[in-house]
Amino acid sequence: MSYAADSTKNGTSNLRKHIENLCKKYPGRVLKDKRQKLLSFNQDHGVLTSTMHGKEEWLKACVDMVVMDEMPFSVVEGKGFRRFCNSLNPNFQVPSRRTLVRHFMAMYDAMKQNLKEELAPHRVCLTTDTWTSVQNINYMVITAHFIDDDWNLHKRILNFCVISNHKGNSIGKLLESCLVDWDMKKILTITADNASSNTKAIDYLKSKMGHWGNSSLLLEGKYMHIRCCAHIVNLIVRDGLKKLEKSILCIRNAVKYVRSSPKRLEDFKSCVKKEQIECKGLVVLDVPTRWNSTYMMLEASLKFEKAFWRMGKDDEGSYISWFGEDEPDVEDGVVMSHYPRKREGPPTNEDWNNARTFVNFLKVFYDTTLKMSVTLHPASHTTFHDLIAIEEEIEDLLMEEEEILNETQTSKVLKDMALNMKMKFKNYWGDLDKLNQILMVSLVLDPQYKLGNLEYILKSRFENPEDAVKKKNEIKEILKKLYKEYAMPPPPPPPSTQSSSYSSDTTTMNTSSSLNRGGKKRRQMTENWRKETRANDDVVLEHEIDRYITDPIEDVVDEFDVLKWWKLNGVKYPGLALIAKDVLAIPVSTVASESCFSTSGRVINSFRASLTPKIVEALICSQNWLRSDDISSLQYEPTIQEMEFYESIELDIMSSSTPSTIAPTIFQC
């Protein structure tokens, strides 16, 4: 093509238009037809999808990578990364670190606004905890838990913000400001550890939320505070561990010897092979401050007890002599002792017997802690059973030790341990009134047990059967109060007319006294009818709870999905389904918030300590949002098969119910 090229008359626009419109072989040309998409294979879902690639999409993918994989922003300035991007797409202009941060903060603000809109219709449950970074800055994390309209449980980190101190008022004020920032007024529970400052913080928050209105506090916030059950179990177990401290320390030192050098580890593996121990695992060292890791260390070590004995005989005395040395004063930067002392060990028969009994006894505690610590499956409906199982396990150990005639040293230790744990358990959960009653309501909402199972357990705990019935009725009354909270109040009555008239071609009534008497009678009839309908509404409200309780219970199975059951049966119990959707989302431990600290510890390491608190919060929250499943859309359109399924359920209900049981009742989400 020939173009005029006078620099003063023609310029270069003709050349640019030529490249954009005519020169189809130009390698840097961008397709102007945005409707033209490319087919690509979606590895996550295993299907072909049509996608549109452009600068904005490439930049967003780059930001997602940095956030999700916990990379530093400076990764985009590395030569290797730029070479990699150029090999994939030469048209992608790798952004600078400054540009990447700008786009990331804009993306965070947009994601936060979207999440705020998605959370608006839900009543959420919160967990909170605090953490100190390598910068010596105190952070507090707030995590929201809720069940969406498709009955999937979600958790979202809302804030990871700096807090000045750990006082109750400081925590309460920060919680309040975060809820105001998120425009979040409907809170069911807040789960925190057992510190007194958290109790003061939640009391402060309840006093402020009481003025917010819009049903912010259910039942006046009486059941808002959930004490972390996993934290209390940890306190109970650690109180019992004090009696086995020597045996645990001996085994810990034996494991520490094996893991202290490659040569010692190889010698230990040789002993394992000679003893023909068929176990693919190996011994692990615990974290002394975490009892569950101590449990795992002892459980693994017991499998290799024979190997430890053989190593003491075949290791030419180095294993035995190691225990005769003094313990180091400092280990891993921690001061172990200010006075020299010999290492405890090697473990004796008595130590191994103590550990074996200890592991068998504490398995129920370990399994319970795992069940309480789940974050993507409901745990509130099983917690009451778990606590009763812990109490019975302690009682059984005490009874077994009392039946032993010849009391050994091991039985004495275990008896003292059980006594300490029993006292600790009674301190926290000995009186059922100390347990948050909403957890018993959650058990009633499990269709495998309902109210009958609760009464059965209560009768085994109370000497007087009347006390069990009284407690059962209290829980049922709480459920009824929740039901009334979720029920929408009746609409206000329309304004009544002060006079009425009737006319025809033959008769005209114009006497004022007759009009007044007729209007008064009619108003009285209307008021009586309203009272009657309100009474019927109350019957319907109570009837749904009674109908749920008296309906047949489901078979008890290990893998019962309580959310799936309510998803399928919610149409049968519409009011209770609204309650179950919120109550079953209650977290009984702060593990969801504590797990955030593992991420924050990697994000705020010694190489990234210059990050500002705002960017740290954006990184932690964005990573959680990007990795989480999508929240079900409120504008969900069911398939034809689903509509036919729900219609068949509705027909079954109508055919098996009397007219009074299917009277329409309106509920609010």
Side-chain angles (χ1 to χ4, degrees):
M1 299 291 294
S2 299
Y3 290 101
D6 190 343
S7 59
T8 58
K9 296 180 180 180
N10 306 111
T12 58
S13 298
N14 51 4
L15 299 178
R16 178 173 56 81
K17 292 176 181 178
H18 171 80
I19 290 176
E20 292 178 352
N21 300 323
L22 298 178
C23 187
K24 296 182 179 180
K25 293 186 178 181
Y26 172 63
R29 183 171 181 267
V30 179
L31 294 174
K32 293 197 69 175
D33 185 8
K34 294 185 179 181
R35 294 173 298 175
Q36 183 67 38
K37 297 184 178 181
L38 300 176
L39 283 178
S40 61
F41 186 75
N42 189 324
Q43 296 183 355
D44 295 333
H45 300 88
V47 295
L48 281 174
T49 58
S50 58
T51 58
M52 173 67 70
H53 295 285
K55 293 181 180 180
E56 290 298 324
E57 288 77 14
W58 296 332
L59 187 57
K60 181 182 180 302
C62 185
V63 173
D64 290 351
M65 177 197 69
V66 170
V67 174
M68 296 179 70
D69 295 339
E70 300 170 4
M71 291 179 156
F73 291 114
S74 59
V75 69
V76 294
E77 297 177 350
K79 291 183 178 179
F81 181 78
R82 289 179 176 272
R83 181 179 298 177
F84 172 72
C85 292
N86 186 64
S87 65
L88 291 178
N89 191 340
N91 294 326
F92 175 48
Q93 296 179 355
V94 181
S96 65
R97 175 170 51 180
R98 186 179 297 276
T99 302
L100 194 70
V101 173
R102 257 198 333 265
H103 279 74
F104 162 65
M105 293 306 295
M107 183 189 76
Y108 166 72
D109 292 336
M111 292 174 65
K112 182 176 180 178
Q113 184 60 36
N114 290 337
L115 182 58
K116 187 183 295 186
E117 295 173 0
E118 291 175 331
L119 289 177
H122 298 283
R123 185 178 293 277
V124 302
C125 306
L126 302 178
T127 57
T128 181
D129 208 344
T130 56
W131 174 76
T132 303
S133 71
V134 295
Q135 307 160 299
N136 285 326
I137 298 177
N138 295 324
Y139 287 92
M140 186 176 79
V141 61
I142 303 173
T143 309
H145 305 255
F146 62 96
I147 295 174
D148 65 19
D149 292 342
D150 201 31
W151 290 89
N152 297 312
L153 181 60
H154 297 273
K155 67 169 184 176
R156 294 291 188 274
I157 298 175
L158 302 181
N159 290 92
F160 189 82
C161 43
V162 175
I163 184 171
S164 57
N165 55 61
H166 296 163
K167 295 181 180 179
N169 282 341
S170 300
I171 297 174
K173 290 178 181 178
L174 190 54
L175 280 170
E176 180 188 13
S177 63
C178 290
L179 295 181
V180 170
D181 177 48
W182 280 88
D183 195 21
M184 191 175 291
K185 297 181 179 180
K186 295 189 291 185
I187 306 297
L188 180 59
T189 61
I190 299 177
T191 305
D193 62 29
N194 207 43
S196 58
S197 58
N198 288 325
T199 303
K200 294 179 181 178
I202 295 176
D203 289 341
Y204 171 86
L205 187 63
K206 285 194 293 187
S207 66
K208 299 300 179 183
M209 291 180 64
H211 304 292
W212 289 1
N214 297 325
S215 302
S216 298
L217 289 176
L218 277 181
L219 306 182
E220 299 179 351
K222 185 177 180 181
Y223 308 106
M224 176 180 280
H225 187 188
I226 302 286
R227 288 175 171 82
C228 177
C229 295
H231 181 248
I232 296 176
V233 170
N234 181 53
L235 295 176
I236 294 172
V237 175
R238 289 192 62 77
D239 213 51
L241 279 176
K242 295 176 182 177
K243 297 297 180 180
L244 290 175
E245 188 174 359
K246 180 181 177 297
S247 298
I248 294 172
L249 186 57
C250 290
I251 296 175
R252 182 184 294 128
N253 285 336
V255 174
K256 191 180 295 183
Y257 173 85
V258 171
R259 308 290 301 194
S260 59
S261 73
K263 174 66 169 57
R264 292 172 178 175
L265 185 60
E266 287 299 321
D267 293 341
F268 180 74
K269 289 181 178 179
S270 176
C271 294
V272 172
K273 188 174 182 180
K274 291 176 183 178
E275 291 293 335
Q276 299 182 2
I277 300 174
E278 297 181 359
C279 184
K280 295 181 180 180
L282 205 59
V283 290
V284 292
L285 194 61
D286 70 329
V287 180
T289 56
R290 295 180 178 269
W291 77 266
N292 53 346
S293 69
T294 303
Y295 167 85
M296 295 171 67
M297 178 191 71
L298 296 177
E299 185 185 37
S301 301
L302 284 169
K303 300 174 183 177
F304 300 96
E305 180 182 353
K306 294 180 180 179
F308 280 107
W309 284 115
R310 188 175 189 105
M311 190 169 59
K313 298 176 181 179
D314 297 354
D315 203 18
E316 299 178 356
S318 59
Y319 173 69
I320 302 297
S321 62
W322 185 79
F323 287 97
E325 301 174 359
D326 291 337
E327 285 188 345
D329 297 336
V330 180
E331 189 170 328
D332 296 332
V334 179
V335 177
M336 305 298 294
S337 175
H338 294 288
Y339 304 99
R341 60 178 182 178
K342 302 296 182 183
R343 288 190 179 93
E344 293 286 350
T348 61
N349 277 328
E350 185 179 341
D351 294 328
W352 288 112
N353 290 334
N354 287 346
R356 188 174 293 105
T357 309
F358 170 79
V359 166
N360 293 335
F361 170 61
L362 279 195
K363 189 176 189 310
V364 65
F365 291 84
Y366 180 75
D367 294 340
T368 299
T369 303
L370 292 181
K371 290 173 65 177
M372 291 177 175
S373 302
V374 296
T375 58
L376 296 179
H377 301 283
S380 60
H381 65 298
T382 61
T383 300
F384 184 70
H385 281 169
D386 293 334
L387 300 183
I388 298 300
I390 288 176
E391 184 182 30
E392 292 182 353
E393 193 75 18
I394 297 173
E395 293 289 346
D396 289 346
L397 182 62
L398 287 173
M399 292 178 63
E400 288 175 6
E401 298 304 328
E402 290 176 356
E403 294 173 358
I404 297 176
L405 297 178
N406 298 323
E407 202 172 41
T408 63
Q409 184 63 28
T410 300
S411 63
K412 289 180 181 178
V413 170
L414 290 175
K415 183 177 180 179
D416 291 341
M417 182 182 73
L419 285 172
N420 286 355
M421 296 175 73
K422 181 178 180 180
M423 292 176 60
K424 204 76 169 181
F425 184 93
K426 283 191 172 182
N427 186 30
Y428 290 108
W429 292 318
D431 186 357
L432 288 181
D433 291 334
K434 295 181 180 179
L435 179 68
N436 194 313
Q437 308 297 287
I438 206 75
L439 296 179
M440 286 186 264
V441 173
S442 184
L443 172 64
V444 175
L445 293 174
D446 187 338
Q448 299 175 106
Y449 302 106
K450 299 186 179 180
L451 199 60
N453 179 261
L454 178 64
E455 183 179 8
Y456 171 77
I457 295 175
L458 293 175
K459 285 181 178 178
S460 65
R461 285 183 57 91
F462 292 106
E463 295 181 0
N464 188 356
E466 294 180 0
D467 294 336
V469 175
K470 181 180 178 182
K471 191 65 180 178
K472 179 201 73 170
N473 292 334
E474 288 180 9
I475 302 304
K476 185 177 180 181
E477 188 62 29
I478 294 173
L479 185 58
K480 288 182 178 180
K481 289 179 180 179
L482 281 172
Y483 199 100
K484 291 179 181 179
E485 290 266 6
Y486 278 78
M488 183 176 293
S496 58
T497 57
Q498 299 297 324
S499 61
S500 59
S501 61
Y502 173 78
S503 62
S504 64
D505 293 338
T506 58
T507 306
T508 301
M509 298 179 66
N510 54 8
T511 306
S512 60
S513 59
S514 300
L515 292 176
N516 291 335
R517 286 197 299 272
K520 184 177 180 181
K521 290 293 183 182
R522 184 171 266 190
R523 286 196 299 272
Q524 186 64 38
M525 291 172 58
T526 304
E527 185 62 29
N528 291 338
W529 170 243
R530 285 200 192 96
K531 291 180 180 179
E532 180 69 20
T533 55
R534 288 196 195 104
N536 290 337
D537 286 344
D538 291 339
V539 171
V540 172
L541 292 175
E542 293 184 5
H543 190 271
E544 183 178 324
I545 295 175
D546 294 333
R547 179 157 49 88
Y548 166 76
I549 292 172
T550 55
D551 280 351
I553 63 173
E554 298 291 334
D555 294 333
V556 179
V557 294
D558 293 335
E559 301 298 327
F560 182 77
D561 191 341
V562 65
L563 296 185
K564 186 176 181 180
W565 188 92
W566 276 105
K567 178 181 179 180
L568 296 176
N569 293 272
V571 65
K572 190 176 180 182
Y573 315 105
L576 287 175
L578 293 174
I579 301 173
K581 194 174 80 165
D582 292 343
V583 170
L584 293 175
I586 297 175
V588 296
S589 77
T590 59
V591 171
S593 293
E594 290 176 4
S595 62
C596 169
F597 301 144
S598 300
T599 302
S600 58
R602 295 188 298 268
V603 171
I604 317 173
N605 55 33
S606 56
F607 299 100
R608 306 176 72 187
S610 60
L611 291 175
T612 64
K614 182 172 179 59
I615 293 182
V616 169
E617 180 179 35
L619 284 169
I620 299 297
C621 295
S622 298
Q623 185 196 71
N624 173 256
W625 302 343
L626 289 171
R627 289 182 175 181
S628 301
D629 296 330
D630 292 334
I631 301 173
S632 295
S633 173
L634 298 177
Q635 288 78 28
Y636 171 71
E637 295 183 4
T639 62
I640 296 176
Q641 292 80 4
E642 289 174 326
M643 293 178 66
E644 292 176 347
F645 172 75
Y646 288 118
E647 286 176 358
S648 64
I649 292 180
E650 186 175 354
L651 290 174
D652 293 340
I653 295 173
M654 294 179 67
S655 61
S656 61
S657 304
T658 60
S660 61
T661 63
I662 58 173
T665 306
I666 302 175
F667 300 94
Q668 62 180 358
C669 295

